[in-house]
């Protein structure tokens, strides 16, 4: 196996990249600017050294606390709870939320050995207890595990006096009733709002 | 932009990778084995140093001449002419061809400024002239440019006495008549064979 096949093989291990795409990308890198490859190579090499979880919210960051936790313009009375660090950038790109985040690091899933103590739930409890928080919005995925985790967090926080909410679940915007699965339809009925 | 966004941005410049896939891959690399990233990074950095075109056939190789040109078991009387170095591995994976290769480095395309002298056609002529070749199989793509290039090579070689052939064009195996485009159908009629 030569250097080109080796690189192509490595690319094919990345999520969403098949053998054909991997070999196409490797060929592209062979013909591209040398400077691009040097930069690319350095970015991969330094990634894990430069990015760490924020000690407050758990999001990935180069500086601790992260830019969101240390932004004085953010609304510090609301915390949005998400499963994974990458969910933070998804929500940020919607520009709808201006509060703080809290990354759980997963969802409760006894089958996969993920019990509540393996998630950053006690840290969330501590943040709420330290005061100043009025609402916790739970943005775990609308799955069985995501719902279970949301319910668990609601129970943990119920005596703190904070308002615990959950993102609406229903028909995706621009979607078509015909293509909605049954559970999404059920949820869109249950969560219907007055117009 | 932090290290994660920078790497994600770089991935999104690669062929076939969109913004969502790029960010998914960057997150994957953040959580993966450190050893994987070190190897990946080195493979990208050393790629262009290690891989060079074979001085005989023009295929990408670490050793010159390439493993195919220097393989004594290959049939040295047949040369398969392809557009790009990556076409060599595509044909090799079919295990149908056991001769040698010749990479043109493109196809004749006056609109894009690719004239015959920019391709490795004279090198092909020299290889044929040096003797021992009985057949040249032209495997350029079945496009207007590929066909033009095939015809041009046929004319260049016509006085050498070598037999010049072209890969069959027609319905793809496992395909459906209904989905064949007009030109493919025309070609499958023109190239029909007696059964």
């Amino acid at each position: 196996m030569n250097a080109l096949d080796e690189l192509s093989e490595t690319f094919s291990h990345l999520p969403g990249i098949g053998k054909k795409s991997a070999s196409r990308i490797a060929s592209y890198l062979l013909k591209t600017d040398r400077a691009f490859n040097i930069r690319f190579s350095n970015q991969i090499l330094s990634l894990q050294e430069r990015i760490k979880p924020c000690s407050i919210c758990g999001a990935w960051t180069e500086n601790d606390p992260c830019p969101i936790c240390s932004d004085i313009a953010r609304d510090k009375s609301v915390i949005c709870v998400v499963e994974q660090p990458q969910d933070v950038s998804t929500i940020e790109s919607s520009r709808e939320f201006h509060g703080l985040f809290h990354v759980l690091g997963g969802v409760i899933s006894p089958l996969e050995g993920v019990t509540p103590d393996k998630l950053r739930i006690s840290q969330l409890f501590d943040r709420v207890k330290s005061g100043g928080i009025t609402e916790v919005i739970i943005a775990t995925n609308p799955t069985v595990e995501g719902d279970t985790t949301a319910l668990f967090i609601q129970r943990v926080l119920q005596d703190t006096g904070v308002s615990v909410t959950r993102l609406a679940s229903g028909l995706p915007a621009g979607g078509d009733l015909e293509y909605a699965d049954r559970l999404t339809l059920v949820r869109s009925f249950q969560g219907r709002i007055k117009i």
Side-chain angles (χ1 to χ4, degrees), chain A:
Chain A
M1 203 150 76
N2 66 30
L4 193 70
D5 298 330
E6 278 169 21
L7 179 58
S8 168
E9 154 87 10
T10 302
F11 267 107
S12 72
H13 283 104
L14 303 180
I17 300 189
K19 284 202 170 183
K20 289 237 170 181
S21 308
S23 123
R24 205 168 135 226
I25 293 168
S27 302
Y28 172 86
L29 291 180
L30 186 56
K31 290 179 287 180
T32 199
D33 221 33
R34 177 110 190 92
F36 181 91
N37 287 358
I38 292 172
R39 190 157 43 85
F40 189 15
S41 165
N42 284 336
Q43 284 172 349
I44 293 170
L45 196 63
S46 65
L47 180 70
Q48 293 176 336
E49 283 155 22
R50 289 173 62 191
I51 299 283
K52 301 286 171 201
C54 170
S55 58
I56 301 175
C57 72
W60 286 321
T61 180
E62 281 192 47
N63 306 304
D64 194 14
C66 75
I68 295 174
C69 286
S70 43
D71 184 349
I72 53 161
R74 308 281 303 204
D75 179 356
K76 299 206 185 307
S77 67
V78 192
I79 292 181
C80 177
V81 176
V82 295
E83 293 182 15
Q84 301 294 349
Q86 56 265 43
D87 296 331
V88 172
S89 27
T90 305
I91 290 176
E92 279 296 280
S93 66
S94 79
R95 294 163 199 257
E96 178 64 24
F97 179 71
H98 308 287
L100 303 177
F101 287 94
H102 192 87
V103 177
L104 293 174
V107 272
I108 299 170
S109 174
L111 281 177
E112 292 178 31
V114 186
T115 44
D117 59 293
K118 299 236 167 83
L119 304 173
R120 300 180 66 254
I121 294 177
S122 63
Q123 286 93 325
L124 175 65
F125 183 78
D126 292 344
R127 284 180 78 181
V128 171
K129 281 287 265 189
S130 70
I133 313 288
T134 55
E135 182 179 1
V136 170
I137 304 173
I138 304 184
T140 52
N141 289 325
T143 57
V144 174
E145 291 85 0
D147 290 345
T148 308
T149 309
L151 208 66
F152 185 89
I153 292 171
Q154 188 268 322
R155 286 192 188 154
V156 166
L157 299 179
Q158 66 187 355
D159 294 332
T160 62
V162 83
S163 158
V164 179
T165 58
R166 177 104 172 86
L167 284 193
S169 178
L171 299 171
D176 192 322
L177 262 185
E178 194 180 343
Y179 299 118
D181 62 293
R182 196 184 145 276
L183 193 59
T184 300
L185 269 177
V186 168
R187 286 180 177 222
S188 69
F189 272 98
Q190 287 171 347
R192 68 191 181 277
I193 52 172
K194 211 167 171 160
I195 51 172

